[in-house]
Amino acid sequence: MENIADKDLSAEQSLQLITSMIQSTRQSLQDSSIYFLIWGWGVLLACVIQYSLKVGMNSPYHPMAWLVLVVVFVAQILIGFKRMKKRSARTFVEDANIYLWTAVGLGYFISFLIFGQIGWDYCFSFYILFYGIGTYVSGKLIQFKPLFIGGLLCFPIAVATVYVSYDMRIIMLGVAILISYIIPGHLLRMNHQKQIRGNV
Amino acid sequence: MFKDLDPILHSQLRLAVISLLISVKEAEFTFLKDKTNATAGNLSVQINKLKDAGYIEVQKKFKDNYPQTICRITQAGVKAFEKYVQDLQAYLGVK
């Protein structure tokens, strides 16, 4: 953008300036797709490993597949801190997203403790519900349709998981993470890269 | 024709700064400098004018041992900006 000097403005120029500044702030919103992609692919990988261990190899250690998420979680936190240190402006939307995902993250953790006590049979139904809540609200906050549609689709999937076998629930969790995190995450990334190219 | 417009906001750089700050919670000096392409000296002067008018608040702190200036729009700044936009729209006949 050209250098803004202290010169007289017409009414039209003033409105144009206001619009362009507000738009440039919107465009500088950080690309959050990395978080959806890391978590999404991590969960999908865990689903594939667990299904292979349980159904393919009949191994009793199939729940160990979820240890993959410990690495994913640490990676998410590290990336989050690094990006937070780098950002030069804070928007209300970014802050709202941070509060939302902190609450969802705490929800995962608390439910982990609860399922540890009551059994893991229906844990995927609740995790799909969490995916739905998180991605629906996040999608609305950043006004990104694929994300909130993916979130909405998680709700009927969560209900359906109650009526199928545990093995089928693993597959449904994989489908839910694909439509709520992975596909919207890739679309979000493409969208952001398109915006950057448009600005050059 | 612009005699009723707020003279503090009716300046290109100050209006740009306020327009940026209206859409964020807070912004660093470097962010404002990047977005406006203004020189550090000029931007500093205009930020001080906005601060003196009570439209923004400026916080100075250190980040990784480097000085950091953070700017935030105040309630008075939001009101002044809204009135400025309304006055402009009235002049242009925009609803």
Side-chain angles (χ1 to χ4, degrees):
Chain A
M1 136 165 230
E2 72 175 277
N3 191 330
I4 294 177
D6 234 6
K7 61 182 182 189
D8 280 340
L9 292 166
S10 69
E12 290 84 358
Q13 283 171 330
S14 290
L15 277 182
Q16 270 170 13
L17 177 65
I18 292 167
T19 312
S20 75
M21 285 296 117
I22 291 175
Q23 265 172 1
S24 84
T25 314
R26 264 185 68 91
Q27 283 159 357
S28 65
L29 273 177
Q30 278 194 337
D31 173 20
S32 55
S33 62
I34 184 90
Y35 303 110
F36 294 108
L37 291 175
I38 292 183
W39 190 258
W41 283 111
V43 170
L44 191 64
L45 178 68
C47 287
V48 171
I49 297 173
Q50 188 185 16
Y51 192 83
S52 310
L53 286 174
K54 188 172 185 300
V55 181
M57 300 179 197
N58 218 8
S59 164
Y61 300 110
H62 62 89
M64 294 293 158
W66 293 98
L67 288 176
V68 168
L69 290 188
V70 176
V71 180
V72 173
F73 177 73
V74 172
Q76 295 253 46
I77 297 287
L78 291 178
I79 292 170
F81 272 116
K82 205 174 158 193
R83 287 178 139 219
M84 215 123 101
K85 272 180 93 175
K86 259 172 73 179
R87 70 178 179 171
S88 56
R90 281 173 65 178
T91 65
F92 293 100
V93 168
E94 281 172 339
D95 275 8
N97 257 314
I98 291 171
Y99 302 141
L100 165 72
W101 287 105
T102 306
V104 172
L106 283 171
Y108 286 142
F109 180 68
I110 300 297
S111 60
F112 183 80
L113 299 178
I114 295 170
F115 292 126
Q117 284 300 313
I118 64 171
W120 298 89
D121 279 0
Y122 292 97
C123 65
F124 294 155
S125 312
F126 289 90
Y127 288 138
I128 294 171
L129 198 59
F130 280 130
Y131 300 157
I133 293 168
T135 51
Y136 174 77
V137 179
S138 216
K140 282 286 182 190
L141 281 174
I142 63 170
Q143 295 177 351
F144 190 62
K145 234 178 187 174
L147 196 58
F148 76 74
I149 290 175
L152 272 182
L153 290 172
C154 282
F155 297 121
I157 296 176
V159 176
T161 51
V162 180
Y163 300 98
V164 296
S165 66
Y166 185 87
D167 296 349
M168 192 62 198
R169 267 177 235 144
I170 302 174
I171 295 174
M172 287 169 89
L173 183 78
V175 171
I177 204 77
L178 190 71
I179 58 173
S180 62
Y181 278 64
I182 298 174
I183 294 173
H186 280 291
L187 292 173
L188 193 60
R189 168 154 287 199
M190 275 165 57
N191 210 31
H192 194 77
Q193 282 167 347
K194 214 160 79 184
Q195 259 183 12
I196 291 171
R197 278 199 298 273
N199 283 346
V200 175
Chain B
M1 68 178 184
F2 286 138
K3 66 176 192 255
D4 293 332
L5 284 178
D6 185 339
I8 298 286
L9 293 185
H10 195 62
S11 130
Q12 200 172 11
L13 187 49
R14 289 195 294 271
L15 183 59
V17 170
I18 280 285
S19 305
L20 288 168
L21 291 178
I22 198 93
S23 40
V24 296
K25 197 170 178 181
E26 59 183 38
E28 283 180 27
F29 183 85
T30 48
F31 176 86
L32 299 173
K33 190 171 166 288
D34 286 348
K35 292 287 173 194
T36 57
N37 266 339
T39 61
N42 192 14
L43 183 59
S44 228
V45 170
Q46 304 311 327
I47 282 177
N48 273 330
K49 284 187 184 171
L50 287 168
K51 187 183 148 202
D52 292 343
Y55 291 175
I56 65 170
E57 50 185 37
V58 179
Q59 192 186 1
K60 304 227 182 221
K61 53 184 189 181
F62 281 88
K63 184 180 173 185
D64 297 331
N65 290 326
Y66 287 98
Q68 186 190 29
T69 304
I70 293 171
C71 304
R72 259 178 236 110
I73 195 163
T74 60
Q75 273 304 314
V78 173
K79 274 191 187 151
F81 180 77
E82 284 171 353
K83 183 167 184 314
Y84 181 83
V85 173
Q86 277 167 10
D87 290 346
L88 273 183
Q89 287 175 330
Y91 170 75
L92 290 169
V94 184
K95 211 177 169 189

